[in-house]
Amino acid sequence: MSSKTHNANSILLARRTVLQLRTEASRERMKVSKASADLMNYCTEHAMADPLLVGFPTSDNPFKDKKPCTIL
Amino acid sequence: MAAEKAEMDALKKECDGLRAQIEAARKAVNDGSMSASAGGVEAVGRVQLKLRKNLKGHLAKIYAMHWSADSRQMVSASQDGKLLIWDTFTGNKLTAVPLKSAWVMSVAFAPSGNLVASGGLDNICTVYNIKAASPKTLRELDAHTGYLSCSRFLSDSEIITASGDTTCCLWDLETGKQKVVFTNHIGDCMSLALSPDENSFISGACDSLAKLWDIRSGTCKQTFSGHTSDINAIAFFPSGNAIITGSDDCSCKMYDLRADQEVIGYQDTSLNAGVTSVALSNSGRLIFAGYDDFNCHIWDSLKGEKVGVLSGHDNRVSCTGVPADGMGVCTGSWDSFLKLWN
């Protein structure tokens, strides 16, 4: 690649990076304390609907083996 | 030449300025950590899940698995050159899909249950109709110039792929053509996950960054940094407001999308193995992370503490998944077995 093309590519990349950073810089940001509280509330509100967290009756276990094992 | 140099210097100066601005804005809202906020939350205690099924069938390393939306079927991919579709309730194999290329790295189940997709070092995402009498190739999506690391169906007519060529792509399955190319990563894309509302997706790459993309416009909305090595795994927190990443730097991180920054990290000095895969329980409270140390470690997502481990594999855990009904966890390994736990 000639140094001219290389320079042209570098400039295009730099321009794209600037546009991308402008997009990212312009967004509103929520306070971490509020964001954390929201995530915590979500976990608490949905805890009872989380089988791996709160457990469930053995009879409801879809993966449990239903027949006895035989050693062949 | 002088004009070009002047422009480059101006652009570089603007980049540096914008980066500093972003860091300052993040710092300004960083008024407390998640682990501090979670001080008042009850601990989950020790999470002890039992091995319920050991699925034998593959003859080589398993690289990927994906649950069907019905929470019963599951597809796994192995470098023995096969995809296997399992009925996890019985442990039976329902279908075997022979692959043209054995070097598979990714597999996905369409929400309808009609299609599966796979791809790997062949750079191609192949979509199969598994409802036909015998699995039939529906499409070969061939445009990536690097390996296919991950794919996820939006529907039977659209799929998103992540590639070692550093791009992600939205494909139209009716035409087999690319609809949108997502370009911004500077390292191999390793993993992707769809947002719960399916308007966006996140990608993790070897440039140690995670990015949030708008599916329709193709724009990168946010970039998350902090990892010091490749991000191998990525998942959405169920509310859609946070993401979890797993990396070769042996840690996982949670980034909040609205605060635009990391809110908590999951690492332990005793854990010196890279993270290969991550999956969350339905409330988002538990993170199941597969590691190179042959285990899947369980983290309390709010407190950042290790609360359990799934041990039993004889080689690296390469993939992890929780079905939609949240009734269990599946781990797949280089030891050629898949294990179901709950």
Side-chain angles (χ1 to χ4, degrees), chain A residues 2-15:
Chain A
S2 76
S3 81
K4 226 179 176 180
T5 328
H6 184 83
N7 287 343
N9 284 349
S10 301
I11 291 197
L12 282 174
L13 185 58
R15 281 184 197 152

PDB file of all heavy atoms in Angstrom, chain A residues 2-15:
ATOM      1  N   SER A   2       0.624   2.175  -0.895  1.00  0.00           N
ATOM      2  CA  SER A   2       1.468   3.367  -0.972  1.00  0.00           C
ATOM      3  C   SER A   2       1.213   4.213   0.269  1.00  0.00           C
ATOM      4  O   SER A   2       0.180   4.097   0.916  1.00  0.00           O
ATOM      5  CB  SER A   2       1.133   4.167  -2.229  1.00  0.00           C
ATOM      6  OG  SER A   2      -0.083   4.855  -2.028  1.00  0.00           O
ATOM      7  N   SER A   3       2.147   5.078   0.584  1.00  0.00           N
ATOM      8  CA  SER A   3       1.981   5.886   1.800  1.00  0.00           C
ATOM      9  C   SER A   3       0.797   6.845   1.638  1.00  0.00           C
ATOM     10  O   SER A   3       0.155   7.230   2.596  1.00  0.00           O
ATOM     11  CB  SER A   3       3.272   6.648   2.124  1.00  0.00           C
ATOM     12  OG  SER A   3       3.363   7.807   1.330  1.00  0.00           O
ATOM     13  N   LYS A   4       0.473   7.168   0.362  1.00  0.00           N
ATOM     14  CA  LYS A   4      -0.651   8.073   0.115  1.00  0.00           C
ATOM     15  C   LYS A   4      -1.963   7.386   0.513  1.00  0.00           C
ATOM     16  O   LYS A   4      -2.795   7.958   1.197  1.00  0.00           O
ATOM     17  CB  LYS A   4      -0.696   8.433  -1.366  1.00  0.00           C
ATOM     18  CG  LYS A   4      -0.882   9.905  -1.634  1.00  0.00           C
ATOM     19  CD  LYS A   4      -0.893  10.210  -3.120  1.00  0.00           C
ATOM     20  CE  LYS A   4      -1.195  11.693  -3.319  1.00  0.00           C
ATOM     21  NZ  LYS A   4      -1.220  12.057  -4.705  1.00  0.00           N
ATOM     22  N   THR A   5      -2.114   6.100   0.080  1.00  0.00           N
ATOM     23  CA  THR A   5      -3.330   5.346   0.410  1.00  0.00           C
ATOM     24  C   THR A   5      -3.405   5.120   1.913  1.00  0.00           C
ATOM     25  O   THR A   5      -4.468   5.197   2.511  1.00  0.00           O
ATOM     26  CB  THR A   5      -3.317   3.970  -0.284  1.00  0.00           C
ATOM     27  OG1 THR A   5      -2.630   4.082  -1.509  1.00  0.00           O
ATOM     28  CG2 THR A   5      -4.702   3.432  -0.479  1.00  0.00           C
ATOM     29  N   HIS A   6      -2.228   4.819   2.474  1.00  0.00           N
ATOM     30  CA  HIS A   6      -2.180   4.568   3.911  1.00  0.00           C
ATOM     31  C   HIS A   6      -2.660   5.787   4.679  1.00  0.00           C
ATOM     32  O   HIS A   6      -3.448   5.688   5.600  1.00  0.00           O
ATOM     33  CB  HIS A   6      -0.733   4.217   4.300  1.00  0.00           C
ATOM     34  CG  HIS A   6      -0.576   3.858   5.737  1.00  0.00           C
ATOM     35  ND1 HIS A   6      -0.828   2.601   6.208  1.00  0.00           N
ATOM     36  CD2 HIS A   6      -0.229   4.603   6.802  1.00  0.00           C
ATOM     37  CE1 HIS A   6      -0.614   2.582   7.522  1.00  0.00           C
ATOM     38  NE2 HIS A   6      -0.254   3.780   7.906  1.00  0.00           N
ATOM     39  N   ASN A   7      -2.176   6.961   4.272  1.00  0.00           N
ATOM     40  CA  ASN A   7      -2.605   8.208   4.923  1.00  0.00           C
ATOM     41  C   ASN A   7      -4.105   8.423   4.746  1.00  0.00           C
ATOM     42  O   ASN A   7      -4.797   8.810   5.679  1.00  0.00           O
ATOM     43  CB  ASN A   7      -1.843   9.411   4.361  1.00  0.00           C
ATOM     44  CG  ASN A   7      -0.412   9.437   4.844  1.00  0.00           C
ATOM     45  OD1 ASN A   7      -0.077   8.774   5.814  1.00  0.00           O
ATOM     46  ND2 ASN A   7       0.429  10.189   4.153  1.00  0.00           N
ATOM     47  N   ALA A   8      -4.593   8.170   3.514  1.00  0.00           N
ATOM     48  CA  ALA A   8      -6.018   8.374   3.240  1.00  0.00           C
ATOM     49  C   ALA A   8      -6.849   7.449   4.124  1.00  0.00           C
ATOM     50  O   ALA A   8      -7.849   7.865   4.703  1.00  0.00           O
ATOM     51  CB  ALA A   8      -6.306   8.127   1.774  1.00  0.00           C
ATOM     52  N   ASN A   9      -6.438   6.178   4.250  1.00  0.00           N
ATOM     53  CA  ASN A   9      -7.155   5.225   5.101  1.00  0.00           C
ATOM     54  C   ASN A   9      -7.131   5.655   6.556  1.00  0.00           C
ATOM     55  O   ASN A   9      -8.136   5.568   7.254  1.00  0.00           O
ATOM     56  CB  ASN A   9      -6.532   3.824   4.984  1.00  0.00           C
ATOM     57  CG  ASN A   9      -6.934   3.148   3.693  1.00  0.00           C
ATOM     58  OD1 ASN A   9      -7.822   3.618   2.988  1.00  0.00           O
ATOM     59  ND2 ASN A   9      -6.271   2.053   3.373  1.00  0.00           N
ATOM     60  N   SER A  10      -5.955   6.125   7.016  1.00  0.00           N
ATOM     61  CA  SER A  10      -5.840   6.557   8.410  1.00  0.00           C
ATOM     62  C   SER A  10      -6.781   7.706   8.692  1.00  0.00           C
ATOM     63  O   SER A  10      -7.395   7.767   9.749  1.00  0.00           O
ATOM     64  CB  SER A  10      -4.406   7.008   8.718  1.00  0.00           C
ATOM     65  OG  SER A  10      -3.519   5.962   8.478  1.00  0.00           O
ATOM     66  N   ILE A  11      -6.889   8.627   7.729  1.00  0.00           N
ATOM     67  CA  ILE A  11      -7.770   9.800   7.929  1.00  0.00           C
ATOM     68  C   ILE A  11      -9.217   9.353   7.977  1.00  0.00           C
ATOM     69  O   ILE A  11      -9.987   9.796   8.831  1.00  0.00           O
ATOM     70  CB  ILE A  11      -7.539  10.860   6.829  1.00  0.00           C
ATOM     71  CG1 ILE A  11      -6.168  11.483   7.029  1.00  0.00           C
ATOM     72  CG2 ILE A  11      -8.640  11.908   6.847  1.00  0.00           C
ATOM     73  CD1 ILE A  11      -5.947  12.789   6.310  1.00  0.00           C
ATOM     74  N   LEU A  12      -9.603   8.431   7.068  1.00  0.00           N
ATOM     75  CA  LEU A  12     -10.985   7.934   7.059  1.00  0.00           C
ATOM     76  C   LEU A  12     -11.308   7.271   8.393  1.00  0.00           C
ATOM     77  O   LEU A  12     -12.381   7.481   8.956  1.00  0.00           O
ATOM     78  CB  LEU A  12     -11.175   6.921   5.932  1.00  0.00           C
ATOM     79  CG  LEU A  12     -11.330   7.512   4.536  1.00  0.00           C
ATOM     80  CD1 LEU A  12     -11.353   6.412   3.480  1.00  0.00           C
ATOM     81  CD2 LEU A  12     -12.599   8.345   4.427  1.00  0.00           C
ATOM     82  N   LEU A  13     -10.359   6.468   8.883  1.00  0.00           N
ATOM     83  CA  LEU A  13     -10.561   5.772  10.150  1.00  0.00           C
ATOM     84  C   LEU A  13     -10.688   6.779  11.286  1.00  0.00           C
ATOM     85  O   LEU A  13     -11.552   6.662  12.160  1.00  0.00           O
ATOM     86  CB  LEU A  13      -9.390   4.812  10.403  1.00  0.00           C
ATOM     87  CG  LEU A  13      -9.504   3.922  11.632  1.00  0.00           C
ATOM     88  CD1 LEU A  13     -10.767   3.071  11.576  1.00  0.00           C
ATOM     89  CD2 LEU A  13      -8.279   3.002  11.731  1.00  0.00           C
ATOM     90  N   ALA A  14      -9.819   7.782  11.279  1.00  0.00           N
ATOM     91  CA  ALA A  14      -9.857   8.798  12.332  1.00  0.00           C
ATOM     92  C   ALA A  14     -11.176   9.566  12.298  1.00  0.00           C
ATOM     93  O   ALA A  14     -11.768   9.859  13.329  1.00  0.00           O
ATOM     94  CB  ALA A  14      -8.668   9.743  12.194  1.00  0.00           C
ATOM     95  N   ARG A  15     -11.648   9.901  11.086  1.00  0.00           N
ATOM     96  CA  ARG A  15     -12.930  10.621  10.961  1.00  0.00           C
ATOM     97  C   ARG A  15     -14.065   9.775  11.528  1.00  0.00           C
ATOM     98  O   ARG A  15     -14.932  10.272  12.234  1.00  0.00           O
ATOM     99  CB  ARG A  15     -13.237  10.937   9.499  1.00  0.00           C
ATOM    100  CG  ARG A  15     -12.485  12.117   8.954  1.00  0.00           C
ATOM    101  CD  ARG A  15     -12.935  12.416   7.519  1.00  0.00           C
ATOM    102  NE  ARG A  15     -11.967  13.272   6.839  1.00  0.00           N
ATOM    103  CZ  ARG A  15     -11.768  13.268   5.524  1.00  0.00           C
ATOM    104  NH1 ARG A  15     -12.456  12.442   4.753  1.00  0.00           N
ATOM    105  NH2 ARG A  15     -10.884  14.080   4.983  1.00  0.00           N
TER     106      ARG A  15
END
